[in-house]
Amino acid sequence: SISKVSSFPPFTTMALPSESTESLPETSSTDSSPTTPTTSENQGSEAFSNQIFTLIGHEDVADITFLQADILERMRDSNLSLSEFNNFASGKYAELSADFQKHTAMIKDMRKDLDFIFRKIRSLKQRIGDKFPEALAEAALPEEQEEY
């Protein structure tokens, strides 16, 4: 139903009655206060909207307005869902982050313990090798053969 727009004649500009004698008030670019529309701006807005309404049928405008309201409601629902998910995710992250740090500390401690154990094993192996080199060589052969 929106395709009816193309069947209308092209939009022509029309002079507004307020454009002939009145000038718009000057605004400072540094002034951050909101300005209220003047009467001539209101008339220009009304003339523009009236011209648009003549180009597009009232049913089409109502359809577009309905679709925009529906999309707005869906976006609000999506935004609410995403906000809830973000809150849930941040809570879970805080919870799991503490667990992760505990596990990381435990793994570091385990590594230190294993390093200590392997150093002790190497030093014991070295002492045994110094005292009993033949026995260590015979004991090492079956292990080496199993590896291949």
Side-chain angles (χ1 to χ4, degrees):
S1 61
I2 297 178
S3 61
K4 294 179 186 177
V5 173
S6 62
S7 65
F8 288 102
F11 181 75
T12 58
T13 59
M14 57 184 236
L16 298 175
S18 62
E19 289 180 347
S20 58
T21 57
E22 295 180 18
S23 65
L24 296 174
E26 294 185 25
T27 58
S28 171
S29 62
T30 60
D31 185 19
S32 63
S33 63
T35 58
T36 57
T38 62
T39 306
S40 64
E41 289 174 344
N42 285 340
Q43 290 174 351
S45 299
E46 288 176 17
F48 178 74
S49 62
N50 287 337
Q51 189 70 15
I52 293 296
F53 281 133
T54 60
L55 291 176
I56 301 173
H58 292 291
E59 291 176 6
D60 293 337
V61 171
D63 289 343
I64 292 171
T65 304
F66 175 76
L67 288 173
Q68 286 179 338
D70 186 43
I71 291 170
L72 177 64
E73 186 63 30
R74 288 181 186 183
M75 295 298 260
R76 286 182 178 160
D77 290 343
S78 297
N79 193 20
L80 179 66
S81 297
L82 288 173
S83 295
E84 289 174 1
F85 176 77
N86 282 338
N87 291 336
F88 171 77
S90 67
K92 283 294 184 183
Y93 175 77
E95 179 184 319
L96 294 176
S97 178
D99 288 344
F100 181 73
Q101 289 186 358
K102 288 178 192 175
H103 293 142
T104 303
M106 183 176 29
I107 288 173
K108 287 180 180 181
D109 287 342
M110 290 171 60
R111 179 178 175 142
K112 288 178 188 175
D113 292 343
L114 288 172
D115 285 342
F116 176 76
I117 290 168
F118 283 120
R119 271 185 283 159
K120 283 294 187 181
I121 290 173
R122 271 188 243 120
S123 69
L124 289 172
K125 200 174 190 181
Q126 182 67 36
R127 278 194 238 163
I128 292 173
D130 291 344
K131 287 185 181 184
F132 309 104
E134 296 86 25
L136 184 63
E138 289 176 13
L141 284 177
E143 289 179 10
E144 292 176 1
Q145 291 174 355
E146 289 176 9
E147 290 178 12
Y148 298 110

